[in-house]
Amino acid sequence: MTMDICKSLDEEKVFAIFRDNLRKHIGIRDCQYIKDSAGLIKYKDYTVFPLNAAENQIAGYLAVDGISDSDKEKFGILAQQLLIGLRRALLYQKVQGLAITDSLTQVYCRRYFLERFSEELKRSRKNKLHLCFLMVDLDNFKQFNDRYGHLVGDTILRQVAKTIVDMVRQIDFIGRYGGEELAIVLAETDKEQANFAAERIRQAIETAVIKAYDEELKVTVSIGVSTFPDSTDHMRDLIEMADQALYLAKETGKNKVCFCPA
């Protein structure tokens, strides 16, 4: 059973393999894997076995229907094999998350963001869809760092990233492009829609109060936007044009959205 379970690194598949194997050894009517105790309410008539990952730590629960008292000890032994597989799957997910996520802002790291950007651009070309790229830069960020310190600066950047995440759709994605720059791809979005989205983001950040240690701060961002296919057909050019538009926003007063020249 352990060998079969460890063939997969997907949490749901690991449990499915366990359940199929379980029926070969124990006569049961049903077995469900529940990740947290709140989900147990639906299984009040089931026998519940906690999956003890470590001292005082529970990795989840197994709810079993139709198990006899004589099979409970055997079930507990087999459940430990499931736990081995779940630990491998969860560790793999954690490592994958670390590989693609910026540790400070919890958005995509630059490398993975650019991979996703390239894939989305290919999809947009193939399906003749619009796409917009936004470059977002915190205004006067160096002054905040110099005055309040880098820990406060990190808090500001983290909160700004969270605000953006809350403002975009699930089909959009965000990355930390470098330093205080964040990049956004708005899928299936034309220039007019991008302007609306960018202004919403800018205004949300401008009105938010950021609590950083003993400080309550307000910040603004400048945003440069390029559009596909209106601006260009190539990813590198989309990035460069958005960067030029961002520079224009900075040079003409900051806290504004600018588009690259048509």
Side-chain angles (χ1 to χ4, degrees), residues 137-158 160 180 205-206 208-213 215-222 250 254-255:
D137 188 80
L138 274 156
D139 295 328
N140 308 312
F141 187 65
K142 185 177 183 301
Q143 294 178 22
F144 284 103
N145 272 335
D146 291 345
R147 181 173 179 180
Y148 300 106
H150 288 279
L151 290 177
V152 169
D154 286 349
T155 301
I156 292 171
L157 188 56
R158 189 185 301 115
V160 167
E180 67 272 22
I205 293 168
E206 181 183 27
V209 176
I210 297 176
K211 295 182 179 180
Y213 300 94
E215 306 294 340
E216 289 191 355
L217 306 169
K218 301 198 76 171
V219 300
T220 62
V221 294
S222 297
K250 291 283 191 183
K254 303 178 182 177
N255 189 26

Side-chain angles (χ1 to χ4, degrees), residues 184-197:
I184 311 168
V185 168
L186 301 178
E188 302 178 25
T189 301
D190 61 23
K191 184 174 181 179
E192 184 178 346
Q193 293 166 330
N195 184 57
F196 177 76

